[in-house]
Amino acid sequence: MIVDLPDTTTSKISKTLVKIREEGGAVALGRVLTLVISTRLGHEEEAIEAANDASREHPMRVIVISSGSDKPDTNDTSRLDAQIRVGGDAGASEVIVLRAYGETASDEEGLVTGLLLPDAPVVAWWPGDAPDVVSQSPIGRIAQRRITDAAAQPDPRGFLAHLSTCYTPGDTDFAWTRLTLWRAQLAAVLDQPPYEPITGVEVHGSPDSPSTSLLAAWLQLQLDVPAKHELVTPAHGSSGIQGVRLHRESGVIELERTSGGIARLLQPNQPPHDISLPRRSLRDCLAEELRRLDPDDLFGEVIQSGLGQLDEPSRKAPAKSSPITARDTSN
């Protein structure tokens, strides 16, 4: 069910929620958190779809506040239009969409505060452009966890560098969440014999992939060896992480993408293994981040210490015979 409330107030929205609950039987009990999504007018639906999917694992109230349309002819009259979605249109959540215009858009915290679930954690998510310092933004100040997406910024790697200087416990980024499968697979490989120390690390990825930088920083920090970080130009490789090489005395371990969801693992004295390494969707990343509401200490260590210790990446156009070839790759 979808209820439209044009030119409204937060008080009217709250009363409508109560009315829907009483008359329609929509139950708000059992919500474990409030997810606040801050985005631009006209860019709400993809984030709402991801939140609806994630709500089946984490029942929650979703508040979407959108302002600053890309369209130059947008009516700047100060007003608040709202939409309430429950039932089949909201997954296992209830979605409140706030479209703020003019001066109304300048008080995001005030618009959201009256709609938060009482005594429930607040998570903030910026699926697009993020504030300069997320922890000091109007929405960030009221949230326990703050999620950004470096890949959605105009300068992904520059955004990570900036985040490293203003990181506050509770901050996280989807560039890190997209590495979960890579980190798990590499850790599993090193848990197998012959248990030799790693002497060198190489990470290959495209310039528009902030996850490539984070993976190199994590490996360097955890293995205590320099990580060679190479960027493959778009003309010779597609976006995302393309491969990792771990050097040790018995030979080289290679994990490289061979297609969008498949990676090939090459190890000394073993046959090649094709393993599933799918691209992680927004839903997957969001659901993972909502599983923990305490600060991610490892991400904080990597973004603050590991990233700063990483050497400047080299740019490389691999030859056609290179093991890391130009294929359809992703994080």
Side-chain angles (χ1 to χ4, degrees):
M1 179 173 66
I2 298 178
V3 178
D4 289 310
L5 299 171
D7 198 7
T8 187
T9 64
T10 54
S11 176
K12 291 179 181 178
I13 296 170
S14 296
K15 291 178 181 178
T16 304
L17 281 169
V18 173
K19 183 178 179 181
I20 291 173
R21 193 178 310 134
E22 291 176 348
E23 296 181 357
V27 179
L29 301 178
R31 308 294 188 219
V32 297
L33 59 91
T34 303
L35 175 65
V36 182
I37 303 174
S38 180
T39 185
R40 297 183 69 83
L41 286 165
H43 296 258
E44 306 96 344
E45 293 304 324
E46 185 179 14
I48 292 174
E49 182 180 353
N52 285 346
D53 287 343
S55 72
R56 292 174 172 84
E57 184 177 340
H58 312 280
M60 56 189 167
R61 172 173 289 180
V62 180
I63 303 174
V64 184
I65 179 164
S66 56
S67 58
S69 173
D70 295 329
K71 299 179 180 179
D73 58 347
T74 299
N75 188 348
D76 288 333
T77 303
S78 181
R79 74 178 194 278
L80 176 66
D81 294 341
Q83 187 179 79
I84 299 174
R85 305 181 187 182
V86 295
D89 296 293
S93 64
E94 51 191 6
V95 179
I96 305 168
V97 183
L98 307 176
R99 297 184 175 93
Y101 302 86
E103 287 298 319
T104 305
S106 63
D107 185 17
E108 290 185 335
E109 184 177 356
L111 292 174
V112 168
T113 301
L115 301 173
L116 300 176
L117 290 174
D119 302 321
V122 178
V123 178
W125 175 29
W126 292 266
D129 294 340
D132 263 353
V133 182
V134 291
S135 61
Q136 297 178 15
S137 66
I139 299 299
R141 285 195 296 264
I142 61 175
Q144 282 77 42
R145 291 297 302 275
R146 297 165 294 275
I147 306 170
T148 54
D149 191 351
Q153 311 305 315
D155 180 8
R157 293 181 60 249
F159 178 81
L160 280 186
H162 172 69
L163 185 59
S164 69
T165 65
C166 61
Y167 170 81
T168 301
D171 293 350
T172 190
D173 193 277
F174 278 168
W176 175 249
T177 320
R178 293 186 182 105
L179 290 179
T180 298
L181 299 181
W182 282 90
R183 294 193 296 121
Q185 187 59 52
L186 292 169
V189 169
L190 295 179
D191 277 342
Q192 302 172 10
Y195 308 116
E196 296 172 338
I198 301 299
T199 58
V201 174
E202 296 177 44
V203 180
H204 304 256
S206 63
D208 63 351
S209 170
S211 296
T212 303
S213 300
L214 283 181
L215 181 58
W218 174 72
L219 287 169
Q220 179 170 284
L221 197 64
Q222 297 299 310
L223 299 174
D224 197 24
V225 294
K228 188 178 179 182
H229 179 201
E230 293 184 339
L231 303 180
V232 182
T233 59
H236 294 271
S238 56
S239 62
I241 301 169
Q242 298 187 4
V244 178
R245 294 191 186 100
L246 304 178
H247 296 261
R248 58 186 180 186
E249 187 176 346
S250 60
V252 179
I253 301 171
E254 292 188 37
L255 182 63
E256 62 160 310
R257 278 200 183 276
T258 56
S259 65
I262 302 296
R264 174 158 293 182
L265 177 63
L266 304 175
Q267 302 180 80
N269 305 316
Q270 292 191 29
H273 295 281
D274 289 333
I275 59 176
S276 176
L277 200 65
R279 184 185 184 94
R280 307 202 75 194
S281 65
L282 277 181
R283 185 268 175 208
D284 294 333
C285 293
L286 182 61
E288 179 178 328
E289 287 298 341
L290 295 180
R291 287 180 197 130
R292 58 178 303 163
L293 298 176
D294 57 319
D296 188 337
D297 294 333
L298 180 57
F299 171 71
E301 187 179 2
V302 170
I303 197 75
Q304 290 183 290
S305 302
L307 203 62
Q309 297 172 10
L310 197 64
D311 290 339
E312 279 297 310
S314 60
R315 294 183 178 267
K316 177 183 178 183
K320 291 183 179 180
S321 60
S322 171
I324 307 296
T325 56
R327 297 187 176 105
D328 179 19
T329 60
S330 56
N331 293 337

